Amino acid sequence: MLTLLELLKDGRFHSGEALGAALGVSRSAVWKQLQHLESELNLPIHKVRGRGYQLASPLVFLSAKEIEANAASLVWPVYISDSIDSTNAEALRLVDAGRTAPFLVLAEQQTAGRGRRGRKWVSPFAQNVYYSLVLRIDGGLRQLEGLSLVVGLAVMRCLRELGVQGAALKWPNDVLVGHKKIAGILLELVGDPADICHVVLGIGINVNMQKAAEVDQEWTSVQLETGSTVDRNYLVARLGLQLQSHLQRHAAFGFTALQEEWEHNHLWQGRAVSLIAGVNQIDGVVLGIDHQGALRLDVDGVEKIYSGGELSLRLRDDS
């Protein structure tokens, strides 16, 4: 089926006869494969009598060679899958198998993509970026302080490079354009943080997605914001360079060196919010973050600090 997709990826018309000859199958077998492409990968295919079959839009597949060509200074091995449960899950499996970090896992599609707090991350085929970078941390708890916020800064800078000037941050792990989500971050850690551990920097970016009925919140994509189709290999390369720069700065100087920059780009700085922790709700005004990346809230005139992976921040109706 993916061989057929390789033939169609140029976005031109191809006759059933020519596709069958290239694949060594009958025209009816080609038709069945086309139906599978549409149903399983949700790829619209135009069918025109006398002309053949055409993808609704051309596809450019992820390529380690193309990524390297756009970011020669990156030396991370890149593992690319056509379809996988999730890039974070695959990254953790590779760590268990003894693969040496750093390395990068990408996929054209995720069948069980995950966001924070157990939410599903919608992952259509060959439209977005599903990215998991694995790092080894040697006995340095400071290297984990504010790490997810550092990753958010790198993602935001990458999106602005690509023309999404409205990209900004929402504590703790989202990148928004206005009220619409364009990227999310999920960090997972295995091992002993006080000794040797591995951290997976999981990043999902809506790149060329234009429709997604199953997404249960406001969202946007790079293409919707810029009006242009984006080369995902170029985006992955630029993201890698931004991550490399921000992680080096974080490792050398700690999160305090990036704290002010993060607060300056926090979309909800100074806003009235509700912090949701399970069934509990805390109302306050965002003061900023502390040197470890925890949220600082003014709650009834008292500054309080909150951190944790299960917290969710929402704007209050009166904000």
Side-chain angles (χ1 to χ4, degrees):
M1 190 167 66
L2 292 177
T3 305
L4 174 58
L5 192 56
E6 191 73 30
L7 296 171
L8 292 168
K9 70 178 184 180
D10 60 9
R12 299 174 181 173
F13 276 104
H14 298 265
S15 71
E17 183 177 0
L19 292 171
L23 295 171
V25 300
S26 65
R27 291 178 64 179
S28 63
V30 169
W31 171 250
K32 288 180 181 177
Q33 287 194 38
L34 288 166
Q35 288 180 307
H36 281 300
L37 281 179
E38 284 194 293
S39 62
E40 293 183 21
L41 302 183
N42 196 28
L43 290 172
I45 298 173
H46 298 151
K47 310 167 189 70
V48 178
R49 185 179 295 275
R51 299 191 70 186
Y53 308 100
Q54 177 195 45
L55 284 177
S57 57
L59 291 178
V60 176
F61 295 125
L62 294 169
S63 161
K65 184 177 179 181
E66 289 297 319
I67 293 166
E68 182 182 354
N70 285 295
S73 65
L74 294 178
V75 293
W76 306 324
V78 181
Y79 303 95
I80 301 173
S81 297
D82 293 323
S83 183
I84 205 168
D85 51 355
S86 86
T87 55
N88 265 30
E90 176 67 4
L92 290 170
R93 287 191 289 266
L94 290 172
V95 170
D96 286 342
R99 201 62 49 91
T100 301
F103 61 85
L104 174 62
V105 177
L106 301 169
E108 297 287 4
Q109 179 187 46
Q110 296 182 123
T111 58
R114 293 175 287 130
R116 289 182 64 246
R117 298 161 58 230
R119 299 182 73 171
K120 177 183 178 182
W121 188 268
V122 176
S123 309
F125 185 85
Q127 293 185 39
N128 300 326
V129 163
Y130 320 117
Y131 181 114
S132 294
L133 176 64
V134 179
L135 304 176
R136 173 177 161 134
I137 306 294
D138 291 306
L141 285 173
R142 195 181 81 157
Q143 295 178 64
L144 299 173
E145 291 178 356
L147 185 57
S148 66
L149 279 67
V150 174
V151 175
L153 267 176
V155 173
M156 182 198 74
R157 292 296 180 199
C158 173
L159 292 174
R160 289 184 182 177
E161 271 190 52
L162 293 168
V164 186
Q165 297 303 322
L169 302 166
K170 176 203 160 190
W171 188 90
N173 290 339
D174 291 339
V175 182
L176 307 181
V177 179
H179 293 286
K180 298 178 180 179
K181 187 168 180 174
I182 193 169
I185 296 149
L186 176 65
L187 267 59
E188 296 187 272
L189 187 145
V190 289
D192 182 357
D195 186 15
I196 297 174
C197 67
H198 288 83
V199 61
V200 180
L201 312 181
I203 301 168
I205 303 177
N206 299 331
V207 182
N208 293 318
M209 185 166 70
Q210 298 186 68
K211 296 180 181 179
E214 63 269 46
V215 179
D216 61 357
Q217 60 183 305
E218 287 189 276
W219 64 275
T220 188
S221 68
V222 181
Q223 183 174 355
L224 288 174
E225 292 300 318
T226 63
S228 302
T229 302
V230 179
D231 181 341
R232 292 176 303 137
N233 289 305
Y234 180 74
L235 188 155
V236 168
R238 299 310 303 174
L239 175 58
L241 292 172
Q242 286 287 354
L243 278 170
Q244 185 178 63
S245 171
H246 281 76
L247 291 171
Q248 287 174 348
R249 190 174 166 197
H250 180 246
F253 305 108
F255 182 66
T256 52
L258 296 150
Q259 181 179 347
E260 184 178 348
E261 181 185 356
W262 196 96
E263 288 182 332
H264 180 72
N265 289 286
H266 189 203
L267 203 59
W268 293 1
Q269 193 77 5
R271 304 288 296 276
V273 298
S274 294
L275 186 67
I276 311 300
V279 297
N280 299 315
Q281 176 175 316
I282 301 154
D283 293 335
V285 175
V286 176
L287 297 174
I289 52 174
D290 70 6
H291 68 280
Q292 294 181 320
L295 183 69
R296 298 167 49 235
L297 277 188
D298 180 329
V299 181
D300 297 327
V302 178
E303 180 176 326
K304 296 189 176 181
I305 307 295
Y306 299 94
S307 63
E310 298 305 312
L311 299 177
S312 176
L313 197 63
R314 300 175 188 171
L315 278 179
R316 286 220 310 271
D317 292 340
D318 60 350
S319 179

